[in-house]
Amino acid sequence: MSDVLLKRLGLLKERVSALTDARGAHDPSADDPLRGLYVSPERVEHLLHGPERAPVRLDDAYGGAEPDDALGELATRFGLTPLDTHILLAALAPDVDRDFEPLYGYLNDDVGRRRASVALALELAGLAPHDPAARARFHPGAPLSAAGLLTLEDAERPLPGRALRVPERVIAHLLGDTRLDGELLGVVELLTGETIASPFASRLGALLAARPTTVYLKGRGTESGTAAEALAAAGLPVLRHDPVYGDRQLVPVLLREARLRGAGLVVGPMPEQTEQAGALVRALESPGTVPVVLFGSAPFDPRWSADGDVLCLDAPPGADDTGPLWAAQLGADAEGFELAAAVAPYRLAPEQIRRAARSARTLAVLDGGPLTAAHVQRGARQQSAPALDRHARRVTPAVGWADLVLPAEPRALLEELVVRARQRERVLGRWGLRAGGGRGHGVVALFAGESGTGKTLAAEVLAGELGVDLYVVELSAVVDKYVGETEKNLERIFADADRTDAVLLFDEADAVFGKRSEVKEASDRYANLESAYLLQRLESFDGIAVLTTNLRANIDDAFTRRLDLVVDFPFPDADQRLALWWQSLARVPCAEDIDPGPCARDFTLAGGSIRGAVVTAAYAAAGRNGRVTTDDLLTGAVREYRKAGRLIVGRDDNS
């Protein structure tokens, strides 16, 4: 407990004692054991003609400022007058020292009312409830009530008789408790630890330190880190709140917590609905008291602000190098692998990096080995937004380069694509090679080839190499017959993908990225509008996307120009088919004399069909409780040929 607060309570108790003695000296019912339970005629006479209150000097009544004076510091932060400070101290006294309860009951002339009333708090300051300046300290707009430091109970009573109560969080703060308010648990996060501020965040932090204000950062999802960096650069603790996890009724509690701590607020992403966003901004505005940094993707509407004092800024692209922060969090544990390459695809805020590092260490302990790049990437993936799960099917990569059978040229292009995905923030951001016109930092590639040649598998390998998840867009849930709905669905996907570290796969992309046509009827014009939207959205995309098609000629040339890479997946030759057969059989129990050579030579199947043939052979072997034989492979190959409607020369139809 604060010694300074105890000292001030001791001085208040002396004042209470003096007032009690003064009451007893003139009150004829002072010794009545039933005093406070009824009003005697003598008591009425005393109330009507009792002595006037002696004036009390409030200035310096509780001593001047002292070191570790939590109450004095609170008074400064909340702009309290000496009378406000006295009222607050009188109101919280019974919550800290139970001796005040019977004393207050006596002074209130009611043994059941053991808290300070408005009249009692003013009487202890030598003031009367009819003093308009004194009554004004209890107005809802006055500092004590407006800041949530004091509540008035017993609304049905006249103001002088209303009891005063100080919220427990305020009392706990004055006693040295640094925990978050219980109402904020689960909806507010206290960010601690050192952070590396970008030049933009440093400049914004200097502004917020000089003039606490409300700032709105418009961007695509990485602004939380920038906002936290700015407040940390201003030398402030940071409270982070996502409006999704709390209602607007908590805003006064949030602002009070920030002022108690001398902290700044990071709030976002802002609601997409204009009415909700405006209500939240107006509730959070606190000019000159708490620096608030809001962020979101929606354009700022000046009508959101009640006083028009919100500073709206475009957040800079997420081009800051987070490598040093990763290294600081993982330290010597990351010496066994190339940390920079492992974390390059992730665009995480500083606090997310800290949580990811803790998760990575926990995963390493669970596996019983040293920390690896896979642990770090799994920890980082846990911090990515899960919003894409609503619009796409998530695939956790379970394959690698060894599972991919390709000629040298397309494989080299895939390796280049990995480099582009890892280094895009450096090249397009810090090196300034991003073109103008609002273009993003995204990497977009087209995989073209016949069905079964490995396009989807390659996308999974790419995601696995980068250490992120693969999201397959279900085009059936995207394309809509109603005008404009397809664009809305795609925008939701792109917006969520911008905020998620993942690879986005548009399978059979020519369904939405097809060629534009000459306008001959109304439907052609609307189809061309969809294509125009996609062209613009691809340019501003910040993530990693792969488009696949069986017919490259169907993709509009304007889309092709905006692609970073086009990878052609050729149909496998005999040697590659043999390698695919052996690869598919790698974990299957086989007969010792099995030979997939004839299948590779005689059946021109792509990789997907070869896998289907091996699955058929495996089921045949499992059905007889044996091993896969060459005949089983031939049966599977024939089955795949027939599924494709292809002619098999020299074989019986029943074979």
Side-chain angles (χ1 to χ4, degrees), residues 308-642:
D309 197 32
V310 176
L311 177 63
C312 183
L313 301 173
D314 286 329
D320 301 321
D321 184 9
T322 59
L325 186 54
W326 278 104
Q329 291 298 314
L330 295 173
D333 292 340
E335 292 180 354
F337 57 94
E338 190 176 349
L339 178 61
V343 302
Y346 300 101
R347 299 165 296 171
L348 301 180
E351 188 59 27
Q352 289 177 303
I353 292 175
R354 281 187 279 273
R355 291 198 296 266
R358 289 197 297 268
S359 296
R361 285 198 172 95
T362 303
L363 290 168
V365 172
L366 182 63
D367 289 343
L371 185 73
T372 65
H375 294 134
V376 174
Q377 290 172 338
R378 284 174 61 190
R381 281 203 301 272
Q382 293 175 8
Q383 305 304 317
S384 289
L388 265 175
D389 287 332
R390 299 192 298 253
H391 314 300
R393 176 170 54 87
R394 178 165 58 176
V395 176
T396 300
V399 293
W401 291 112
D403 299 289
L404 202 57
V405 177
L406 282 175
E409 182 177 351
R411 185 183 178 94
L413 289 174
L414 289 175
E415 292 172 349
E416 180 184 339
L417 186 57
V418 171
V419 174
R420 284 177 178 256
R422 283 176 173 161
Q423 304 298 334
R424 67 188 191 279
E425 299 294 355
R426 176 188 295 183
V427 174
L428 300 178
R430 295 195 297 276
W431 292 0
L433 291 181
R434 181 181 63 144
R439 290 177 173 84
H441 290 185
V443 174
V444 183
L446 175 67
F447 292 175
E450 294 184 36
S451 178
T453 52
K455 302 184 296 296
T456 303
L457 179 66
E460 187 176 346
V461 170
L462 171 65
E465 183 67 14
L466 294 173
V468 299
D469 288 326
L470 175 70
Y471 281 89
V472 182
V473 177
E474 304 290 352
L475 294 180
S476 60
V478 172
V479 179
D480 198 295
K481 65 179 180 180
Y482 294 104
V483 174
E485 291 302 313
T486 299
E487 291 93 323
K488 290 180 182 179
N489 294 335
L490 285 168
E491 176 57 32
R492 294 188 191 100
I493 292 171
F494 278 118
D496 289 338
D498 278 336
R499 296 191 292 267
T500 305
D501 296 317
V503 174
L504 191 62
L505 175 64
F506 289 92
D507 208 2
E508 307 296 342
D510 37 329
V512 287
F513 295 90
K515 284 183 177 293
R516 288 170 288 184
S517 60
E518 181 183 352
V519 178
K520 295 181 179 179
E521 52 186 58
S523 59
D524 295 333
R525 179 163 63 90
Y526 292 125
N528 288 345
L529 284 176
E530 291 180 5
S531 296
Y533 159 77
L534 285 168
L535 286 170
Q536 297 171 5
R537 194 60 181 87
L538 275 181
E539 287 192 336
S540 62
F541 184 53
D542 274 337
I544 305 167
V546 174
L547 320 178
T548 70
T549 180
N550 296 341
L551 296 170
R552 177 175 172 180
N554 286 353
I555 300 294
D556 195 297
D557 292 339
F559 286 117
T560 305
R561 184 176 63 80
R562 287 164 171 80
L563 299 171
D564 291 281
L565 286 174
V566 176
V567 183
D568 287 309
F569 285 73
F571 199 90
D573 59 24
D575 291 339
Q576 290 164 356
R577 293 197 297 270
L578 180 60
L580 288 167
W581 279 103
W582 280 118
Q583 185 184 79
S584 299
L585 290 166
R587 300 176 62 184
V588 177
C590 300
E592 293 182 1
D593 60 347
I594 192 170
D595 180 13
C599 295
R601 182 181 64 251
D602 299 336
F603 295 89
T604 54
L605 298 173
S609 298
I610 291 173
R611 180 185 176 278
V614 172
V615 169
T616 298
Y619 273 119
R624 63 173 184 271
N625 198 24
R627 293 175 173 269
V628 175
T629 65
T630 302
D631 287 340
D632 292 330
L633 298 183
L634 289 171
T635 300
V638 170
R639 188 75 53 80
E640 292 299 316
Y641 250 45
R642 287 177 175 164

Side-chain angles (χ1 to χ4, degrees), residues 3 9 23 32 67 76 163 188 221 285 297 406 509 516 622:
D3 292 339
L9 286 174
R23 289 270 188 94
D32 189 343
T76 301
V188 172
E285 282 183 302
S297 58
L406 282 175
R516 288 170 288 184

Side-chain angles (χ1 to χ4, degrees), residues 167-293:
E168 175 57 30
R169 174 64 189 115
V170 178
I171 299 171
H173 170 78
L174 292 173
L175 295 176
D177 191 340
T178 60
R179 290 173 294 181
L180 277 174
D181 191 302
E183 293 187 62
L184 301 178
L185 293 178
V187 298
V188 172
E189 184 179 16
L190 177 62
L191 306 185
T192 57
E194 298 181 359
T195 185
I196 301 170
S198 66
F200 174 84
S202 298
R203 293 193 299 271
L204 180 57
L207 170 67
L208 294 172
R211 180 175 177 266
T213 188
T214 303
V215 177
Y216 179 74
L217 288 181
K218 180 181 177 299
R220 290 203 185 94
T222 58
E223 304 75 41
S224 173
T226 302
E229 290 170 6
L231 292 170
L236 302 174
V238 180
L239 293 175
R240 166 78 166 82
H241 173 55
D242 188 335
V244 171
Y245 301 109
D247 57 57
R248 206 170 67 251
Q249 304 304 319
L250 288 176
V251 169
V253 181
L254 179 61
L255 288 171
R256 183 183 69 199
E257 184 70 21
R259 294 180 74 177
L260 287 173
R261 295 176 177 272
L265 294 179
V266 175
V267 180
M270 295 293 289
E272 295 181 0
Q273 293 79 9
T274 298
E275 296 79 8
Q276 294 182 14
L280 182 59
V281 172
R282 288 188 290 274
L284 283 166
E285 282 183 302
S286 55
T289 57
V290 178
V292 180
V293 184

